[in-house]
């Protein structure tokens, strides 16, 4: 998402978006209960120890479960001989939902400069950026990531990659030049301006190697 959900008051569009996120959950719940209400199906799906759905499945060390969501796309439970195809699919979806809910969030490793090359904004502009401009973007990318971790916020909400590209392209040397490149400056830039300018100067005078 590119919207700033920290901004107050929330706009009408923000509120409407949030409402639509949950608008159909009650209807979805009723539909699932209806499917589960078929004779005997609910009891079969909830067969468990300690009132914990699919506990044996969740504790099965033989199941391949990786933290990478793309790697989990083909994750499947062993087929249960006691369930028909539809009920087995529902059991599988329920188990995956519980697995996702129980996973402990781990911060991603701190990015190396080369990771910045995968940034969508950088990919759009890289052909028009010189060596120093690219180095500048790499340095600002890491700077933004460090601040995002410090404040526990998303990096993009602190400062978009497009703004970092503008700074890298123009290489402003002081606060006034920084404001001429982009105004108003994001709060995180205003609060950490000296460090940001120091990184820009470092990139501006670096030698190609």
């Amino acid at each position: 998402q590119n919207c700033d959900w920290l901004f107050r008051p929330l706009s009408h569009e923000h509120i409407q978006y949030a409402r639509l996120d949950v608008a159909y959950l009650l209807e979805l719940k009723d539909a699932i209960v209806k499917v589960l209400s078929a004779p005997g199906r609910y009891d079969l799906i909830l067969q468990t120890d300690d009132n914990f759905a699919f506990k044996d499945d969740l504790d099965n060390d033989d199941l391949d479960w990786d933290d990478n969501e793309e790697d989990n796309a083909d994750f499947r439970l062993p087929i249960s001989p006691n369930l028909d195809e539809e009920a087995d699919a529902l059991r599988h979806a329920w188990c995956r939902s519980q697995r996702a809910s129980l996973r402990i969030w781990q911060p991603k490793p701190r990015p190396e400069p080369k990771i910045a090359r995968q940034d969508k904004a950088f990919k759009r502009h890289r052909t028009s950026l010189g060596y120093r401009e690219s180095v500048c973007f790499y340095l600002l990318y890491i700077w933004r990531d460090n601040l995002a971790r410090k404040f526990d916020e998303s990096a993009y909400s602190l400062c978009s990659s497009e703004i970092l590209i503008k700074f890298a392209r123009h290489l402003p040397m002081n606060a006034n030049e920084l404001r001429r490149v982009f105004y108003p400056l994001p709060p995180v830039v205003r609060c950490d301006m000296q460090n940001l300018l120091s990184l820009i100067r470092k990139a501006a005078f670096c030698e190609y190697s």
Side-chain angles (χ1 to χ4, degrees):
Q1 295 185 14
N2 295 338
C3 297
D4 182 5
W5 286 89
L6 298 178
F7 182 80
R8 293 294 185 275
L10 290 174
S11 68
H12 172 74
E13 289 75 15
H14 277 82
I15 295 173
Q16 190 67 9
Y17 184 96
R19 283 175 175 166
L20 289 175
D21 253 4
V22 297
Y24 302 103
L25 291 183
L26 291 177
E27 293 181 29
L28 181 60
K29 177 253 186 184
D30 292 339
I32 293 175
V33 169
K34 183 177 180 180
V35 172
L36 289 174
S37 297
R41 176 169 294 177
Y42 190 79
D43 292 334
L44 279 172
I45 292 179
L46 287 184
Q47 284 178 353
T48 178
D49 295 325
D50 302 326
N51 295 319
F52 191 86
F54 317 128
K55 183 174 186 300
D56 292 338
D57 292 330
L58 290 168
D59 291 342
N60 189 343
D61 292 334
D62 294 332
L63 296 179
D64 183 17
W65 183 261
D66 193 276
D67 284 338
N68 188 319
E69 292 183 4
E70 293 182 1
D71 293 340
N72 294 327
D74 297 326
F75 167 79
R76 296 295 304 177
L77 288 172
I79 296 176
S80 172
N82 298 321
L83 300 177
D84 59 40
E85 184 177 351
E86 183 180 0
D88 193 66
L90 184 59
R91 163 180 168 269
H92 170 74
W94 193 334
C95 185
R96 285 196 60 170
S97 176
Q98 286 203 345
R99 278 179 163 276
S101 300
L102 293 171
R103 287 165 63 194
I104 298 176
W105 179 83
Q106 297 290 344
K108 294 181 179 180
R110 294 184 181 276
E112 299 178 5
K114 63 181 180 181
I115 301 299
R117 299 171 190 166
Q118 305 304 315
D119 184 90
K120 292 181 180 179
F122 179 75
K123 286 183 176 181
R124 287 195 297 270
H125 297 281
R126 62 184 175 185
T127 56
S128 63
L129 297 176
Y131 174 74
R132 290 186 175 87
E133 290 85 353
S134 296
V135 170
C136 184
F137 179 79
Y138 299 159
L139 294 176
L140 297 185
Y141 186 92
I142 302 300
W143 165 82
R144 181 183 64 176
D145 179 79
N146 289 335
L147 288 178
R149 293 170 187 273
K150 176 181 177 180
F151 296 116
D152 194 23
E153 294 289 351
S154 71
Y156 195 96
S157 69
L158 292 181
C159 186
S160 73
S161 295
E162 290 290 346
I163 295 177
L164 297 186
I165 289 289
K166 288 179 181 291
F167 292 156
R169 189 183 301 280
H170 294 279
L171 297 174
M173 293 290 104
N174 55 55
N176 288 333
E177 291 182 8
L178 203 61
R179 293 187 182 94
R180 281 197 290 270
V181 172
F182 190 89
Y183 186 85
L185 293 173
V188 68
V189 174
R190 296 198 303 269
C191 293
D192 203 39
M193 186 180 297
Q194 292 308 312
N195 284 332
L196 181 140
L197 287 172
S198 175
L199 293 173
I200 294 176
R201 295 188 192 105
K202 180 179 180 180
F205 296 106
C206 73
E207 297 296 333
Y208 181 81
S209 58

